[in-house]
Amino acid sequence: MTYEETLEYLFTRLPMYQRDGKKAYKKDLTNTIKLLDVLDNPHLSFKSVHIAGTNGKGTSAHGIAAIMQTAGYKTGLYTSPHLKNFTERIKIDGSEVPQNFVVDFVERIKPAVAEIEPSFFEITVAMAFDYFKYSSVDIAIIETGLGGRLDSTNVITPEVSLITNIGYDHMDMLGNTLEEIAREKAGIIKPNVPVIIGEKTSETQSVFEEFAEVRHTNLVYADSANWRAQSLVPDYLVKNVPGIEAVIDELKNRGWKISQTDINEGLNNLNSLTGLKGRFQILSQEPLVIADVSHNAEGLSILLQQVKSLCKGALHLIIGTVKDKDLSSIFHIFPKDSKKYWTQSSVPRALPVEELAIQGIMNGIEGECFKNVNEAITSAKEKAHPDDIILITGSTFVVAEVESI
């Protein structure tokens, strides 16, 4: 198969959460374990850091990877979803997995796929672990997909685990309360593996402490008061720095050689080292055009606070989302004096723009409708003054379709 044929096989034959939603979410690890067994269990061949959470897990993963790269370690990075290219999901020292490896891997496991019938995500996890073994990485930074307990990545025994925070997202699969969601995320806590909690809250504290006690492991709450990094980090990263630093401290306790200079330089150069896209990504100036993949109430609230601090003129919001999102928790976050542009992505899970507009009206918010994000950007640029800000957000899939990224 060619690379294009391989991607078509992965995207169309296999259940995929981005396309199919909840029905593609496998609530056990059986398929992943079977796939990895076929591959001679590559996940046992490298050290790792495991990261779960509602917001900030992808950013934290990139931050830790950048620091480990700067410290001189060959560093694997597995994150999801991708924005533009499938190969963004699997990287070593910031370089994406080669297309020929993707083709060869899929050819190798096709017989097993026919027998096991895994999901898109399960195959991608197995591919990442196989590539990290093949490349002899020193350490791999692994981000969960959804939840933690039953996430396909939860077959590793890491050096340290990080749970960034707990918020209301994917409630149809993870639970209706913060405590229920925390129990799913806490599933990554392993016996005798230290776990960092990025955000201490009354609703989730007892859950994490219960899991740590049962599994005989050390639990550490990241302390923002002890932020040591001498870095000019963007606002989207600020909240995650204490958790990142706490992970680095645990790695140092386990013998990894990492200096304060490595931390500073890694965080200062995060984007160039890891190729992070779609996190407060500035696309153009005058007007300032920013794309950010935030898609739930907590993430959007932080994002809009930062944008508000920068905005000297008017704010133009280009918003698209997916069908299974609780919009009632999001609409009230949008500044009332901002101009709204409703849009949608081309994925089947996208909420049609007409439905988004109707829900907006029901919540007292009106906006213009555009069938795709690039039409919305063009319209916003025509209306905006040089000191205005255009923000594109609400869905990873909307940001992924921005032509200038």
Side-chain angles (χ1 to χ4, degrees), residues 148-149 154 161 163 182-195 207-218:
R149 180 174 65 95
N154 201 28
S161 302
I163 301 174
R183 287 191 173 278
E184 290 299 314
K185 308 284 187 182
I188 72 167
I189 298 175
K190 304 291 194 309
N192 304 310
V193 175
V195 58
V207 174
F208 295 137
E209 292 177 356
E210 172 195 331
F211 271 73
E213 181 179 0
V214 168
R215 294 177 184 176
H216 306 289
T217 194
N218 185 39

mmCIF file of all heavy atoms in Angstrom, residues 148-149 154 161 163 182-195 207-218:
data_model
loop_
_atom_site.group_PDB
_atom_site.id
_atom_site.type_symbol
_atom_site.label_atom_id
_atom_site.label_comp_id
_atom_site.label_asym_id
_atom_site.label_seq_id
_atom_site.Cartn_x
_atom_site.Cartn_y
_atom_site.Cartn_z
ATOM 1 N N GLY A 148 -8.647 7.344 31.419
ATOM 2 C CA GLY A 148 -7.369 6.868 31.918
ATOM 3 C C GLY A 148 -7.432 5.391 32.239
ATOM 4 O O GLY A 148 -6.673 4.586 31.718
ATOM 5 N N ARG A 149 -8.382 5.016 33.077
ATOM 6 C CA ARG A 149 -8.491 3.632 33.546
ATOM 7 C C ARG A 149 -8.545 2.640 32.396
ATOM 8 O O ARG A 149 -7.840 1.627 32.393
ATOM 9 C CB ARG A 149 -9.732 3.497 34.431
ATOM 10 C CG ARG A 149 -9.978 2.098 34.987
ATOM 11 C CD ARG A 149 -11.138 2.112 35.962
ATOM 12 N NE ARG A 149 -12.390 2.448 35.303
ATOM 13 C CZ ARG A 149 -13.271 1.555 34.844
ATOM 14 N NH1 ARG A 149 -13.002 0.257 34.957
ATOM 15 N NH2 ARG A 149 -14.404 1.936 34.277
ATOM 16 N N ASN A 154 -3.007 2.792 28.826
ATOM 17 C CA ASN A 154 -2.853 2.417 30.233
ATOM 18 C C ASN A 154 -2.330 1.003 30.435
ATOM 19 O O ASN A 154 -2.708 0.305 31.372
ATOM 20 C CB ASN A 154 -4.176 2.589 30.981
ATOM 21 C CG ASN A 154 -3.979 2.718 32.482
ATOM 22 O OD1 ASN A 154 -2.937 3.190 32.937
ATOM 23 N ND2 ASN A 154 -4.963 2.300 33.250
ATOM 24 N N SER A 161 3.523 9.397 36.925
ATOM 25 C CA SER A 161 2.266 9.747 36.264
ATOM 26 C C SER A 161 1.874 11.167 36.633
ATOM 27 O O SER A 161 2.203 11.646 37.727
ATOM 28 C CB SER A 161 1.145 8.786 36.689
ATOM 29 O OG SER A 161 1.477 7.445 36.383
ATOM 30 N N ILE A 163 -1.635 13.754 36.518
ATOM 31 C CA ILE A 163 -3.035 14.058 36.223
ATOM 32 C C ILE A 163 -3.174 15.565 36.338
ATOM 33 O O ILE A 163 -3.076 16.128 37.432
ATOM 34 C CB ILE A 163 -3.989 13.336 37.186
ATOM 35 C CG1 ILE A 163 -3.786 11.816 37.085
ATOM 36 C CG2 ILE A 163 -5.442 13.697 36.862
ATOM 37 C CD1 ILE A 163 -4.578 11.013 38.091
ATOM 38 N N ALA A 182 -12.908 11.907 37.945
ATOM 39 C CA ALA A 182 -11.609 11.733 38.605
ATOM 40 C C ALA A 182 -11.276 10.254 38.787
ATOM 41 O O ALA A 182 -10.114 9.848 38.653
ATOM 42 C CB ALA A 182 -11.602 12.449 39.950
ATOM 43 N N ARG A 183 -12.287 9.444 39.063
ATOM 44 C CA ARG A 183 -12.034 8.008 39.242
ATOM 45 C C ARG A 183 -11.541 7.369 37.941
ATOM 46 O O ARG A 183 -10.701 6.455 37.972
ATOM 47 C CB ARG A 183 -13.295 7.298 39.741
ATOM 48 C CG ARG A 183 -13.599 7.606 41.197
ATOM 49 C CD ARG A 183 -14.677 6.725 41.797
ATOM 50 N NE ARG A 183 -14.770 6.998 43.226
ATOM 51 C CZ ARG A 183 -13.976 6.467 44.148
ATOM 52 N NH1 ARG A 183 -13.049 5.579 43.779
ATOM 53 N NH2 ARG A 183 -14.097 6.784 45.417
ATOM 54 N N GLU A 184 -12.064 7.827 36.814
ATOM 55 C CA GLU A 184 -11.581 7.313 35.532
ATOM 56 C C GLU A 184 -10.150 7.758 35.267
ATOM 57 O O GLU A 184 -9.302 6.967 34.861
ATOM 58 C CB GLU A 184 -12.506 7.759 34.402
ATOM 59 C CG GLU A 184 -13.871 7.100 34.417
ATOM 60 C CD GLU A 184 -13.787 5.595 34.257
ATOM 61 O OE1 GLU A 184 -13.053 5.115 33.374
ATOM 62 O OE2 GLU A 184 -14.460 4.885 35.035
ATOM 63 N N LYS A 185 -9.872 9.039 35.511
ATOM 64 C CA LYS A 185 -8.517 9.547 35.291
ATOM 65 C C LYS A 185 -7.519 8.900 36.251
ATOM 66 O O LYS A 185 -6.372 8.609 35.883
ATOM 67 C CB LYS A 185 -8.478 11.066 35.477
ATOM 68 C CG LYS A 185 -9.513 11.852 34.680
ATOM 69 C CD LYS A 185 -9.178 11.991 33.227
ATOM 70 C CE LYS A 185 -10.160 12.933 32.533
ATOM 71 N NZ LYS A 185 -9.909 13.077 31.103
ATOM 72 N N ALA A 186 -7.954 8.666 37.499
ATOM 73 C CA ALA A 186 -7.074 8.072 38.505
ATOM 74 C C ALA A 186 -6.692 6.641 38.172
ATOM 75 O O ALA A 186 -5.791 6.074 38.803
ATOM 76 C CB ALA A 186 -7.745 8.129 39.875
ATOM 77 N N GLY A 187 -7.354 6.070 37.179
ATOM 78 C CA GLY A 187 -7.017 4.716 36.765
ATOM 79 C C GLY A 187 -5.603 4.566 36.244
ATOM 80 O O GLY A 187 -5.107 3.439 36.117
ATOM 81 N N ILE A 188 -4.925 5.671 35.934
ATOM 82 C CA ILE A 188 -3.529 5.548 35.474
ATOM 83 C C ILE A 188 -2.557 5.403 36.645
ATOM 84 O O ILE A 188 -1.371 5.141 36.435
ATOM 85 C CB ILE A 188 -3.086 6.733 34.588
ATOM 86 C CG1 ILE A 188 -2.907 8.016 35.415
ATOM 87 C CG2 ILE A 188 -4.042 6.935 33.435
ATOM 88 C CD1 ILE A 188 -2.169 9.119 34.671
ATOM 89 N N ILE A 189 -3.033 5.596 37.880
ATOM 90 C CA ILE A 189 -2.153 5.480 39.048
ATOM 91 C C ILE A 189 -1.743 4.022 39.228
ATOM 92 O O ILE A 189 -2.578 3.132 39.318
ATOM 93 C CB ILE A 189 -2.848 6.009 40.318
ATOM 94 C CG1 ILE A 189 -3.184 7.505 40.151
ATOM 95 C CG2 ILE A 189 -1.967 5.797 41.539
ATOM 96 C CD1 ILE A 189 -3.976 8.097 41.301
ATOM 97 N N LYS A 190 -0.440 3.772 39.267
ATOM 98 C CA LYS A 190 0.108 2.416 39.349
ATOM 99 C C LYS A 190 0.785 2.184 40.705
ATOM 100 O O LYS A 190 1.271 3.132 41.332
ATOM 101 C CB LYS A 190 1.149 2.203 38.243
ATOM 102 C CG LYS A 190 0.666 2.444 36.824
ATOM 103 C CD LYS A 190 -0.323 1.395 36.377
ATOM 104 C CE LYS A 190 -0.551 1.415 34.876
ATOM 105 N NZ LYS A 190 -0.886 2.721 34.322
ATOM 106 N N PRO A 191 0.840 0.939 41.154
ATOM 107 C CA PRO A 191 1.537 0.630 42.400
ATOM 108 C C PRO A 191 2.984 1.091 42.367
ATOM 109 O O PRO A 191 3.716 0.828 41.408
ATOM 110 C CB PRO A 191 1.446 -0.903 42.484
ATOM 111 C CG PRO A 191 0.228 -1.250 41.698
ATOM 112 C CD PRO A 191 0.204 -0.255 40.569
ATOM 113 N N ASN A 192 3.365 1.813 43.400
ATOM 114 C CA ASN A 192 4.753 2.253 43.601
ATOM 115 C C ASN A 192 5.284 3.183 42.508
ATOM 116 O O ASN A 192 6.497 3.358 42.374
ATOM 117 C CB ASN A 192 5.685 1.035 43.732
ATOM 118 C CG ASN A 192 5.249 0.104 44.852
ATOM 119 O OD1 ASN A 192 5.017 0.544 45.978
ATOM 120 N ND2 ASN A 192 5.108 -1.174 44.542
ATOM 121 N N VAL A 193 4.384 3.774 41.748
ATOM 122 C CA VAL A 193 4.767 4.783 40.753
ATOM 123 C C VAL A 193 4.247 6.130 41.245
ATOM 124 O O VAL A 193 3.031 6.296 41.381
ATOM 125 C CB VAL A 193 4.186 4.468 39.360
ATOM 126 C CG1 VAL A 193 4.496 5.606 38.384
ATOM 127 C CG2 VAL A 193 4.724 3.144 38.836
ATOM 128 N N PRO A 194 5.120 7.097 41.525
ATOM 129 C CA PRO A 194 4.648 8.387 42.039
ATOM 130 C C PRO A 194 3.691 9.066 41.071
ATOM 131 O O PRO A 194 3.853 8.960 39.852
ATOM 132 C CB PRO A 194 5.936 9.203 42.213
ATOM 133 C CG PRO A 194 6.946 8.532 41.338
ATOM 134 C CD PRO A 194 6.574 7.080 41.323
ATOM 135 N N VAL A 195 2.691 9.755 41.622
ATOM 136 C CA VAL A 195 1.704 10.444 40.794
ATOM 137 C C VAL A 195 1.633 11.905 41.201
ATOM 138 O O VAL A 195 1.582 12.233 42.393
ATOM 139 C CB VAL A 195 0.310 9.777 40.883
ATOM 140 C CG1 VAL A 195 -0.201 9.731 42.310
ATOM 141 C CG2 VAL A 195 -0.687 10.490 39.976
ATOM 142 N N VAL A 207 -10.566 11.246 46.108
ATOM 143 C CA VAL A 207 -10.452 10.183 45.108
ATOM 144 C C VAL A 207 -8.990 9.842 44.865
ATOM 145 O O VAL A 207 -8.582 8.671 44.902
ATOM 146 C CB VAL A 207 -11.130 10.598 43.784
ATOM 147 C CG1 VAL A 207 -10.866 9.542 42.696
ATOM 148 C CG2 VAL A 207 -12.621 10.790 43.984
ATOM 149 N N PHE A 208 -8.191 10.850 44.607
ATOM 150 C CA PHE A 208 -6.781 10.611 44.304
ATOM 151 C C PHE A 208 -6.047 10.032 45.511
ATOM 152 O O PHE A 208 -5.199 9.140 45.372
ATOM 153 C CB PHE A 208 -6.115 11.907 43.840
ATOM 154 C CG PHE A 208 -6.659 12.434 42.540
ATOM 155 C CD1 PHE A 208 -6.923 13.787 42.374
ATOM 156 C CD2 PHE A 208 -6.907 11.588 41.476
ATOM 157 C CE1 PHE A 208 -7.423 14.281 41.179
ATOM 158 C CE2 PHE A 208 -7.404 12.058 40.270
ATOM 159 C CZ PHE A 208 -7.668 13.407 40.131
ATOM 160 N N GLU A 209 -6.351 10.523 46.684
ATOM 161 C CA GLU A 209 -5.684 10.027 47.879
ATOM 162 C C GLU A 209 -6.079 8.577 48.175
ATOM 163 O O GLU A 209 -5.263 7.780 48.626
ATOM 164 C CB GLU A 209 -5.990 10.949 49.064
ATOM 165 C CG GLU A 209 -5.339 12.321 48.884
ATOM 166 C CD GLU A 209 -5.665 13.308 49.986
ATOM 167 O OE1 GLU A 209 -6.469 12.966 50.891
ATOM 168 O OE2 GLU A 209 -5.124 14.433 49.954
ATOM 169 N N GLU A 210 -7.322 8.236 47.885
ATOM 170 C CA GLU A 210 -7.768 6.842 48.043
ATOM 171 C C GLU A 210 -7.011 5.914 47.097
ATOM 172 O O GLU A 210 -6.508 4.856 47.499
ATOM 173 C CB GLU A 210 -9.268 6.756 47.755
ATOM 174 C CG GLU A 210 -9.819 5.345 47.704
ATOM 175 C CD GLU A 210 -11.206 5.281 47.074
ATOM 176 O OE1 GLU A 210 -11.970 6.269 47.164
ATOM 177 O OE2 GLU A 210 -11.519 4.228 46.477
ATOM 178 N N PHE A 211 -6.903 6.304 45.825
ATOM 179 C CA PHE A 211 -6.183 5.480 44.848
ATOM 180 C C PHE A 211 -4.710 5.343 45.219
ATOM 181 O O PHE A 211 -4.139 4.255 45.109
ATOM 182 C CB PHE A 211 -6.306 6.098 43.444
ATOM 183 C CG PHE A 211 -7.504 5.631 42.677
ATOM 184 C CD1 PHE A 211 -8.784 6.073 43.008
ATOM 185 C CD2 PHE A 211 -7.373 4.756 41.613
ATOM 186 C CE1 PHE A 211 -9.900 5.658 42.308
ATOM 187 C CE2 PHE A 211 -8.480 4.328 40.885
ATOM 188 C CZ PHE A 211 -9.759 4.779 41.238
ATOM 189 N N ALA A 212 -4.100 6.439 45.660
ATOM 190 C CA ALA A 212 -2.679 6.394 46.028
ATOM 191 C C ALA A 212 -2.444 5.472 47.226
ATOM 192 O O ALA A 212 -1.454 4.722 47.264
ATOM 193 C CB ALA A 212 -2.185 7.804 46.338
ATOM 194 N N GLU A 213 -3.366 5.512 48.178
ATOM 195 C CA GLU A 213 -3.222 4.657 49.360
ATOM 196 C C GLU A 213 -3.379 3.182 49.004
ATOM 197 O O GLU A 213 -2.575 2.338 49.417
ATOM 198 C CB GLU A 213 -4.261 5.055 50.418
ATOM 199 C CG GLU A 213 -4.167 4.230 51.699
ATOM 200 C CD GLU A 213 -5.181 4.661 52.741
ATOM 201 O OE1 GLU A 213 -5.965 5.595 52.475
ATOM 202 O OE2 GLU A 213 -5.186 4.049 53.837
ATOM 203 N N VAL A 214 -4.400 2.875 48.217
ATOM 204 C CA VAL A 214 -4.653 1.484 47.837
ATOM 205 C C VAL A 214 -3.487 0.925 47.017
ATOM 206 O O VAL A 214 -3.132 -0.257 47.151
ATOM 207 C CB VAL A 214 -5.971 1.383 47.039
ATOM 208 C CG1 VAL A 214 -6.115 0.008 46.386
ATOM 209 C CG2 VAL A 214 -7.155 1.670 47.950
ATOM 210 N N ARG A 215 -2.882 1.766 46.202
ATOM 211 C CA ARG A 215 -1.814 1.302 45.309
ATOM 212 C C ARG A 215 -0.415 1.586 45.850
ATOM 213 O O ARG A 215 0.576 1.461 45.131
ATOM 214 C CB ARG A 215 -2.024 1.906 43.914
ATOM 215 C CG ARG A 215 -3.308 1.343 43.317
ATOM 216 C CD ARG A 215 -3.702 1.891 41.986
ATOM 217 N NE ARG A 215 -5.000 1.319 41.596
ATOM 218 C CZ ARG A 215 -5.680 1.640 40.530
ATOM 219 N NH1 ARG A 215 -5.209 2.551 39.700
ATOM 220 N NH2 ARG A 215 -6.853 1.076 40.274
ATOM 221 N N HIS A 216 -0.369 1.986 47.096
ATOM 222 C CA HIS A 216 0.912 2.138 47.804
ATOM 223 C C HIS A 216 1.900 2.999 47.026
ATOM 224 O O HIS A 216 3.043 2.608 46.768
ATOM 225 C CB HIS A 216 1.529 0.755 48.071
ATOM 226 C CG HIS A 216 0.608 -0.177 48.792
ATOM 227 N ND1 HIS A 216 0.267 -0.028 50.120
ATOM 228 C CD2 HIS A 216 -0.086 -1.269 48.352
ATOM 229 C CE1 HIS A 216 -0.578 -0.985 50.483
ATOM 230 N NE2 HIS A 216 -0.809 -1.744 49.421
ATOM 231 N N THR A 217 1.424 4.163 46.639
ATOM 232 C CA THR A 217 2.300 5.059 45.893
ATOM 233 C C THR A 217 2.289 6.453 46.480
ATOM 234 O O THR A 217 1.379 6.824 47.228
ATOM 235 C CB THR A 217 1.889 5.102 44.411
ATOM 236 O OG1 THR A 217 2.930 5.710 43.653
ATOM 237 C CG2 THR A 217 0.596 5.887 44.213
ATOM 238 N N ASN A 218 3.300 7.215 46.149
ATOM 239 C CA ASN A 218 3.469 8.572 46.664
ATOM 240 C C ASN A 218 2.690 9.557 45.803
ATOM 241 O O ASN A 218 2.855 9.586 44.578
ATOM 242 C CB ASN A 218 4.951 8.940 46.674
ATOM 243 C CG ASN A 218 5.201 10.297 47.300
ATOM 244 O OD1 ASN A 218 4.561 10.652 48.289
ATOM 245 N ND2 ASN A 218 6.130 11.054 46.738
#
